[in-house]
Amino acid sequence: MPFYQRLGDVPRKRHIQFRDNGTLLTEEVMGLEGFTGNESILYHLQSPCRVMEIGEFEPIVRQEWLPETHQHRMMHTKGVGASGDEITGRQLLMWNSDVEISLCRPSEQMDYFFRNGEGDEVIFVHEGTGTLETIFGSLPYKDGDYVVIPRGTTYKFVADEGEQRYVIFETPGLIEIPRRYRNQYGQIIEGAPYYHRDIHPPAELNTHREQGEFPVKVRVRDGYQTYLLDYHPFDVVGWDGYLYPWTFSIHDFEPITGRIHQPPPAHQTFAGRNFVICSFCPRKLDFDPLAVPIPYHHSNLQSEEMIYYVSGNFGSRKGVDVGSITLHPSGLPHGPQPGLAEKAIGLHETGELAVMCDTFSPLKLSKLAGELDDGKYALSWYEPHEPTEAGLTSHL
Ligand SMILES: [Fe+2]
């Protein structure tokens, strides 16, 4: 999506004969919006329709927690145990019809391939390194990377040894670079918080010619359908276009600061369908002599605000730990806890690192979110009023 890429061998023109050792290759146009949106053209050794066996369809089951009260919430995810792989280990926290937000702490390697056939994915790598092997080539990832995977990409995670901790956003819409960061030709403009050089597409394409048994699990129709192939699905000899997976490191986000406080859109990193993903990064704070260098109170009248805290001290929140999540649902005001605004005056920088997702429709909560909810965050702004001299004498 970000710009034109080409890997491996492609013919001189599209839709002409292209052969590998004399065999006519299968050209696949993988595209959006009919034949008018972004697309890539892939050249396969086998027909991508070729399946040997159609396996099970497993519907996605979401266990919803219906809290009895509407209130701000804080969840601590650090202690959530590792389980499953990068697909089966997705532990849903909250969702609506635009986005599903999951925690994933895989403990097993994938022994199959996966393709999301009905949505784009952003995987924020809080901890972990490895390689995302894809039909478009290999994509190394590390701590702090957002791995952006467009629908239709067949892939397999090959994680390195060690802790893996991801926050995953899945959407039936598209994940895009915000429109205002790009000019009419698609180039990222001066003043945007990142540039094309910060976006890393697959760098190496390995064409697999093996035969055998290769299961592919496809998310489609709100479930997982498994197919069995008799060839390795990464059988592409070349591709070009605008549709492919890529990584962007949160550490390459250039924060925008001002003399007085900048609103959350200054931190926007990606645009989704009815939601945004923002990065709060270490930065210099507001520098007007009278500035209050943490957020003002605000009412999310039309949005829900989920923040995942990655590292550093978060100056406007009390009780936050690495891996904590706050959820400020729509309809309520929120802001720094008492005393924090005063304490922040005179601060010149922050080391905070956090990922925020603001959705424009209410989020449902999972049973896991209910188990992780501390139940008391909503009262963290409450301090009993002390009787004052003025109060005692005001009726005299
Ligand atoms: Fe907020």
Side-chain angles (χ1 to χ4, degrees):
M1 189 267 280
F3 42 85
Y4 176 81
Q5 280 292 300
R6 174 173 157 168
L7 265 188
D9 297 326
V10 297
R12 177 178 57 83
K13 285 180 71 68
R14 54 187 170 181
H15 320 324
I16 63 170
Q17 292 177 37
F18 187 43
R19 294 179 186 275
D20 176 81
N21 292 325
T23 305
L24 189 63
L25 295 174
T26 303
E27 181 187 48
E28 179 194 11
V29 172
M30 187 187 285
L32 302 170
E33 298 170 50
F35 291 90
T36 60
N38 283 337
E39 67 175 34
S40 283
I41 304 178
L42 301 90
Y43 294 88
H44 294 270
L45 296 170
Q46 304 287 340
S47 161
C49 307
R50 180 182 168 109
V51 294
M52 185 163 72
E53 245 173 61
I54 296 176
E56 297 280 301
F57 179 83
E58 182 194 337
I60 292 173
V61 178
R62 299 176 185 84
Q63 294 195 307
E64 186 174 359
W65 173 50
L66 288 164
E68 289 174 359
T69 55
H70 184 74
Q71 61 185 68
H72 295 314
R73 302 195 178 276
M74 184 183 287
M75 300 148 207
H76 302 291
T77 72
K78 202 174 173 195
V80 171
S83 67
D85 57 40
E86 287 81 354
I87 310 302
T88 61
R90 295 178 183 191
Q91 304 186 59
L92 187 63
L93 291 168
M94 48 194 86
W95 77 97
N96 62 22
S97 58
D98 299 310
V99 63
E100 293 175 6
I101 305 171
S102 308
L103 186 74
C104 186
R105 299 207 50 228
S107 59
E108 301 162 11
Q109 293 276 3
M110 288 172 69
D111 58 1
Y112 58 92
F113 298 86
F114 177 71
R115 178 163 78 239
N116 195 326
E118 59 184 8
D120 286 7
E121 301 182 347
V122 175
I123 297 167
F124 175 72
V125 181
H126 181 172
E127 290 179 298
T129 57
T131 302
L132 181 73
E133 294 182 350
T134 84
I135 200 164
F136 294 98
S138 298
L139 202 56
Y141 63 87
K142 59 186 185 309
D143 294 11
D145 279 354
Y146 291 103
V147 184
V148 181
I149 310 175
R151 70 201 56 218
T153 303
T154 305
Y155 68 78
K156 183 183 194 176
F157 270 88
V158 182
D160 296 339
E161 288 287 314
E163 288 282 302
Q164 307 282 330
R165 185 185 296 271
Y166 316 131
V167 179
I168 301 183
F169 303 88
E170 293 173 72
T171 173
L174 300 176
I175 294 294
E176 298 186 299
I177 295 171
R179 184 68 194 88
R180 68 181 190 281
Y181 293 171
R182 293 175 291 156
N183 64 23
Q184 61 179 313
Y185 307 102
Q187 187 170 13
I188 297 174
I189 60 171
E190 292 296 323
Y194 52 89
Y195 188 53
H196 296 280
R197 288 180 217 176
D198 300 318
I199 289 169
H200 306 287
E204 193 186 346
L205 180 70
N206 294 312
T207 306
H208 287 265
R209 295 165 187 271
E210 303 97 288
Q211 295 183 343
E213 294 194 350
F214 301 89
V216 181
K217 189 185 278 207
V218 183
R219 177 169 172 172
V220 67
R221 300 295 187 272
D222 216 23
Y224 298 110
Q225 173 68 59
T226 301
Y227 303 93
L228 191 62
L229 312 188
D230 65 350
Y231 64 96
H232 195 297
F234 299 164
D235 69 336
V236 169
V237 302
W239 63 270
D240 73 341
Y242 277 66
L243 205 67
Y244 49 83
W246 45 283
T247 62
F248 168 73
S249 171
I250 195 169
H251 304 299
D252 284 332
F253 187 91
E254 298 304 328
I256 294 166
T257 57
R259 196 167 71 181
I260 55 173
H261 199 73
Q262 297 296 298
H267 307 276
Q268 189 179 353
T269 311
F270 304 114
R273 185 183 82 180
N274 295 327
F275 71 95
V276 297
I277 297 175
C278 299
S279 305
F280 290 88
C281 296
R283 62 193 182 278
K284 296 286 183 195
L285 289 169
D286 323 323
F287 51 87
D288 187 275
L290 290 177
V292 179
I294 55 174
Y296 35 83
H297 280 60
H298 46 283
S299 287
N300 300 9
L301 295 178
Q302 291 179 305
S303 60
E304 311 260 313
E305 177 195 286
M306 171 272 192
I307 301 181
Y308 179 84
Y309 300 89
V310 180
S311 65
N313 278 334
F314 217 82
S316 61
R317 291 278 166 269
K318 273 182 179 167
V320 161
D321 197 2
V322 168
S324 297
I325 289 174
T326 52
L327 177 63
H328 302 124
S330 53
L332 302 176
H334 67 274
Q337 275 90 1
L340 293 181
E342 193 70 62
K343 208 169 140 191
I345 289 170
L347 287 182
H348 298 295
E349 57 190 11
T350 174
E352 71 190 18
L353 193 65
V355 173
M356 180 173 85
C357 180
D358 270 10
T359 67
F360 303 136
S361 295
L363 286 162
K364 294 177 178 173
L365 296 170
S366 70
K367 285 206 166 139
L368 173 64
E371 289 162 19
L372 300 175
D373 178 40
D374 80 351
K376 56 189 184 187
Y377 173 64
L379 297 175
S380 63
W381 287 265
Y382 176 69
E383 287 182 336
H385 293 296
E386 297 287 334
T388 63
E389 284 300 309
L392 289 171
T393 57
S394 64
H395 297 289
L396 292 176

